[in-house]
């Protein structure tokens, strides 16, 4: 497979061209022949014009790539090495929603031929690839696992908005269903990954490694959020405590905040779901999830208390929220907890304006039902820094004062203005 791909005798198909799929497809297309497949025709139309619909990749990255973008299932029949990078969300009961993964698996199963490889990159629970996907591949293709086709799992570790840790300079974990496929898959990823490959001992190990990376992060942030709730009662600034504690060599660097997006706030549920199937109730992971899922409501309540201490009628208060994406310097608004905070504030009768230089106003209106404003409308009783976009980090006390009514408060969920405020009223997590 490796040699045939390099000689362009065989083709790679990347299924699902989003934040994960498009970068991998383009990187591979610099070296091998690639078909980029997505069910969304509007996204394919943009990619054909060298436009990344997720706004992460510059048009130049498409230059010189040997890639054919398509939403026609028949086109992927020509491929022999399939990489699946489709979403793995949770449903409204916070259970894994495998529909996109199984649907993409079925698409591949229908065109799978003897000798082909299928590698999953979507984040799943340990066992998902071999217990949920492989049987479907067998059923739809009529082929036999391992003897007719090989499967692997190679989790994606890219971090949206992070210009330092990019696809090629992050160590990639790979795995295969047997020794031959494990080596072949590792060599194929080595074509593009400069940081090197870590060969996991099995598909399950690779699946588990990915899901615990994000779960570990979720639990650590939950700890910070809990500290913030405690220190808030004690009138101690959490960021000051963390800065002091951080002078110890083995103190871990995490900060409180809203945990949204499609990874950190979602993946732990995949692990707790599978662990429950084995009869283990994952207490630490679930506790972390409960804290982080409740953080937006807690912040809104604290903001309301601050306003009540300053003004007699909070229903007459006007707030400006800076940032609505799920994290800094990205346009991605999926599962943003800022929206939840906004709804909570509105439920107290507080008027809320939201600004965000990175988010698409149309997407926000469609997804969350509120209109972003271009510029502040008058002055506010409070300004909430919800997302630390670079643009906001550059603001000083004078900029914030301009947004506030006399006596108004800066509410800083990210602790970015902590050392800049001397006269304005200030609260941070
Ligand atoms: N975004 C990240 O930074 C990141 C990082 C590491 C891992 N992951 C994981 O990678 C996977 C993909 O995430 P993403 O952020 O790229 O998602 P995404 O929503 O940005 O992209 C997924 C793409 O798949 C397409 N798609 C959906 N169903 C399909 C199907 N049946 N056939 C073909 N295409 C289909 C969608 O149209 C979309 O373009 C998820 O499991 C996610 O948890 C994401």
């Amino acid at each position: 497979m490796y040699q045939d791909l390099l000689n362009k005798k065989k083709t790679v198909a990347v299924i699902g061209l989003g934040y994960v799929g498009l970068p991998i497809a383009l990187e591979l297309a610099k070296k091998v022949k690639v078909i980029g497949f997505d069910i969304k025709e509007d996204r394919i139309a943009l990619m054909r014009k060298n436009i990344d619909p997720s706004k992460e990749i510059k048009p130049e990255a498409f230059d010189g790539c040997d890639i054919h973008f398509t939403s026609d299932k028949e086109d992927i029949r020509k491929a022999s090495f399939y990489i699946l990078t489709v979403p793995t969300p949770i449903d409204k009961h916070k259970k894994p929603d495998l529909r996109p993964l199984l649907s993409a698996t079925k698409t591949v199963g229908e065109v799978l031929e003897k000798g082909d490889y299928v590698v999953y990159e979507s984040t799943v629970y340990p066992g998902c690839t071999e217990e949920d996907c492989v049987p479907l591949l067998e059923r739809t293709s009529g082929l036999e696992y391992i003897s007719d086709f090989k499967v692997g799992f190679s989790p994606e570790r890219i971090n949206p908005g992070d210009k330092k840790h990019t696809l090629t300079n992050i160590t990639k974990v790979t795995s295969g269903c047997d020794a031959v496929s494990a080596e072949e898959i590792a060599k194929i990823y080595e074509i593009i990954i400069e940081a090197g490959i870590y060969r996991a001992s099995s598909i399950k190990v690779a699946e588990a490694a990915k899901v615990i990376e994000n779960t570990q992060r979720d639990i650590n942030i939950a700890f910070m959020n809990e500290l913030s709730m405690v220190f808030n009662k004690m009138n101690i600034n959490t960021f000051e405590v963390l800065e002091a504690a951080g002078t110890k060599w083995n103190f871990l660097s995490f900060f409180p905040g809203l945990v949204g997006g499609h990874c950190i706030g979602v993946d732990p549920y995949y692990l707790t779901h599978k662990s429950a199937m084995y009869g283990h109730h994952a207490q630490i992971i679930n506790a972390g999830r409960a804290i982080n899922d409740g953080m937006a409501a807690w912040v809104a309540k604290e903001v309301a208390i601050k306003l009540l201490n300053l003004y007699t009628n909070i229903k007459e208060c006007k707030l400006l929220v800076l940032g609505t994406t799920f994290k800094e310097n990205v346009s991605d608004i999926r599962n943003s907890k800022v929206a939840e905070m906004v709804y909570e504030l509105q439920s107290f009768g507080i008027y809320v304006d939201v600004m965000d230089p990175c988010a698409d106003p149309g997407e926000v209106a469609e997804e969350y039902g509120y209109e972003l404003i271009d510029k502040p409308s008058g002055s506010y009783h409070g300004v909430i820094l919800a997302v630390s976009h670079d643009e906001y980090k550059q603001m000083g006390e004078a900029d914030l004062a301009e947004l506030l009514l006399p006596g108004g408060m800066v509410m800083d969920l990210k602790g970015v203005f902590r050392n800049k405020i001397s006269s304005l009223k200030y609260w941070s997590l």
Side-chain angles (χ1 to χ4, degrees):
M1 182 62 66
Y2 167 75
Q3 272 309 333
D4 285 349
L5 288 178
L6 270 187
N7 298 337
K8 298 204 171 185
K9 284 190 193 152
K10 286 192 169 154
T11 305
V12 173
V14 179
I15 314 296
L17 302 172
Y19 283 88
V20 168
L22 184 60
I24 195 105
L26 292 180
E27 211 51 60
L28 280 165
K30 289 180 191 165
K31 305 276 169 59
V32 303
K33 216 167 152 58
V34 177
I35 300 167
F37 173 81
D38 201 289
I39 45 169
K40 293 218 173 117
E41 283 173 23
D42 52 338
R43 292 179 65 90
I44 289 294
L46 286 173
M47 290 180 246
R48 283 190 180 138
K49 289 187 215 156
N50 294 3
I51 299 168
D52 172 10
S54 308
K55 302 188 192 84
E56 286 278 312
I57 294 176
K58 296 211 167 80
E60 304 85 84
F62 292 71
D63 291 345
C65 287
D66 188 350
I67 187 161
H68 168 61
F69 291 109
T70 182
S71 50
D72 182 352
K73 287 181 188 176
E74 276 310 301
D75 287 353
I76 62 167
R77 200 174 278 284
K78 298 173 203 122
S80 312
F81 190 91
Y82 295 89
I83 298 178
L84 280 82
T85 48
V86 293
T88 42
I90 46 171
D91 64 18
K92 61 177 185 222
H93 306 294
K94 303 192 187 297
K95 296 279 175 224
D97 175 2
L98 295 182
R99 283 174 301 174
L101 187 70
L102 296 179
S103 156
T105 297
K106 188 165 169 277
T107 302
V108 171
E110 283 163 1
V111 295
L112 204 64
E113 286 175 6
K114 252 188 163 171
D116 286 355
Y117 275 60
V118 185
V119 177
Y120 290 85
E121 288 216 13
S122 302
T123 309
V124 290
Y125 47 75
C128 183
T129 302
E130 284 169 299
E131 293 160 19
D132 299 273
C133 300
V134 165
L136 184 58
L137 283 176
E138 284 189 312
R139 265 202 315 279
T140 43
S141 66
L143 298 173
E144 203 173 305
Y145 180 40
I146 301 182
S147 57
D148 290 339
F149 67 93
K150 311 272 190 196
V151 169
F153 184 82
S154 177
E156 187 45 67
R157 288 169 149 171
I158 54 160
N159 184 19
D162 186 338
K163 305 288 174 231
K164 193 167 143 215
H165 303 102
T166 54
L167 176 64
T168 55
N169 67 24
I170 307 170
T171 302
K172 191 120 174 73
V173 173
T174 62
S175 64
C177 57
D178 58 11
V180 175
S181 63
E183 192 49 33
E184 206 69 357
I185 291 166
K187 272 166 47 191
I188 289 163
Y189 277 101
E190 259 163 1
I191 299 174
I192 56 165
I193 307 292
E194 288 155 17
I197 301 297
Y198 179 87
R199 291 156 168 81
S201 57
S202 69
I203 289 176
K204 265 193 187 151
V205 165
E207 289 170 323
K210 170 65 197 182
V211 81
I212 69 152
E213 285 168 19
N214 285 353
T215 303
Q216 183 192 64
R217 202 167 161 72
D218 193 47
I219 292 169
N220 279 297
I221 298 171
F223 176 45
M224 298 299 123
N225 282 336
E226 182 152 67
L227 292 179
S228 184
M229 292 172 187
V230 173
F231 293 148
N232 192 57
K233 286 187 189 296
M234 299 177 182
N235 213 10
I236 303 172
N237 184 295
T238 311
F239 287 93
E240 287 178 11
V241 178
L242 294 177
E243 200 170 281
T247 56
K248 191 180 177 203
W249 67 93
N250 58 2
F251 189 81
L252 304 177
S253 174
F254 287 95
F255 300 97
L258 302 175
V259 181
H262 44 276
C263 289
I264 309 290
V266 168
D267 301 345
Y269 288 119
Y270 272 71
L271 189 52
T272 55
H273 164 81
K274 193 65 177 177
S275 101
M277 286 171 72
Y278 281 83
H280 178 83
H281 175 68
Q283 295 182 60
I284 292 180
I285 307 171
N286 279 317
R289 277 289 69 236
I291 291 175
N292 287 343
D293 267 354
M295 198 59 189
W298 182 83
V299 168
K301 191 190 83 186
E302 287 307 312
V303 168
I305 292 170
K306 300 282 171 283
L307 292 178
L308 275 171
N309 287 332
L310 292 175
Y311 307 99
T312 42
N313 186 1
I314 60 168
K315 290 194 176 179
E316 284 169 8
C317 285
K318 216 176 132 189
L319 287 177
L320 176 64
V321 173
L322 300 176
T324 198
T325 57
F326 90 89
K327 66 179 279 195
E328 63 281 2
N329 303 322
V330 298
S331 61
D332 196 344
I333 57 161
R334 289 177 295 172
N335 193 25
S336 168
K337 295 291 164 190
V338 178
E340 223 172 279
M341 180 189 74
V342 169
Y343 299 152
E344 288 285 334
L345 291 167
Q346 288 170 337
S347 75
F348 295 128
I350 302 167
Y351 177 89
V352 186
D353 270 344
V354 186
M355 289 177 72
D356 194 307
C358 300
D360 180 305
E363 277 178 23
V364 174
E366 196 185 318
E367 182 80 19
Y368 297 116
Y370 53 80
E371 301 288 333
L372 292 180
I373 57 162
D374 285 348
K375 48 181 192 303
S377 66
S379 304
Y380 296 86
H381 298 87
V383 172
I384 304 179
L385 187 279
V387 185
S388 51
H389 291 312
D390 285 347
E391 190 168 310
Y392 295 146
K393 282 209 271 196
Q394 282 156 18
M395 290 170 79
E397 185 161 23
D399 303 308
L400 292 162
E402 259 183 44
L403 298 171
L404 288 167
L405 288 161
M409 186 180 248
V410 176
M411 292 138 170
D412 183 1
L413 309 190
K414 306 301 284 184
V416 297
F417 301 130
R418 190 161 57 81
N419 299 317
K420 292 184 180 173
I421 305 284
S422 54
S423 55
L424 290 174
K425 291 198 174 68
Y426 178 79
W427 172 72
S428 82
L429 285 183

